[in-house]
Amino acid sequence: MKHIVLQDNAPRRLSFYLAMEEYVARRMPHIEDAFFMWQVEASVIFGRNQVMENEVNTTYCREHNIQMYRRKSGGGCVYADMGNVMLSFITSNDSVTLTYNRYVNMVLLVLHKMGIEAKASGRNDILIGDRKVSGNAFYQLTGRSIVHGTLLYDTNMENMLSSITPSHEKLAKHGVSSVRQRITLLSEHTTKTLEEVKKLFATTLCQEEYVLSSEEVAGIEQLEQQYLKEEFIHRL
């Protein structure tokens, strides 16, 4: 598997990385399996079929300069900031079950290598004990698949809990006060820094590095414009 990296570490919008996933999947078929990691300033990303107003506390997000984006994959609403890392896996296998299981097992492999007893739960989550540390979603193209997820490291929990509106079912079952008790941060289970965790993911899962050319980055930026349309981005 190839570790896809950019020539520079300049901060970019979340929409760029969504476009980067799609670009690699659609326009780089010569790379059978690709993996990359990314971080963004405070942002909320909600699923393809979700109604934003039902899932996102838009008032809180605008007051706290949290950007809001729609992705093309399904799944629930997630919060991301520079205190966590987003994982992207692109493969030529278009089997949902096989691809998703492979991705989850890759994440578990690295966590177990760190001495953390993590496990998969349900369709989307990875847990440490009974607390969620990662949520994931799947997006299928013709002959290609994308799995992406968030790995909580030292996320701003106040922003996370306040920017996402829990469903009525979750409120009835758990109560708002219990939400924090169902989430854990990776920093609570390891002495490794976030940069060390990222390096371990890259060296464990990937055999070589692929640096995107300036032409490929330009192609990603062109594709990104789709994600900046009104139906995908909600500007402050």
Side-chain angles (χ1 to χ4, degrees), residues 92 111 121 181 194:
S92 295
L111 294 178
S121 175
Q181 282 68 47
L194 181 50

Side-chain angles (χ1 to χ4, degrees), residues 34-82:
F35 176 80
F36 65 92
M37 295 167 281
W38 42 284
Q39 292 169 269
V40 292
E41 296 296 336
S43 303
V44 167
I45 176 172
F46 50 99
R48 175 184 60 217
N49 299 316
Q50 291 186 304
V51 178
M52 183 189 72
E53 291 76 10
N54 294 344
E55 306 293 336
V56 182
N57 185 338
T58 55
T59 300
Y60 182 90
C61 288
R62 293 188 176 100
E63 289 175 350
H64 292 82
N65 198 33
I66 299 172
Q67 297 293 326
M68 295 166 275
Y69 296 87
R70 184 185 299 278
R71 62 180 184 267
K72 293 184 179 180
S73 61
C77 184
V78 298
Y79 168 84
D81 60 22
M82 295 300 291

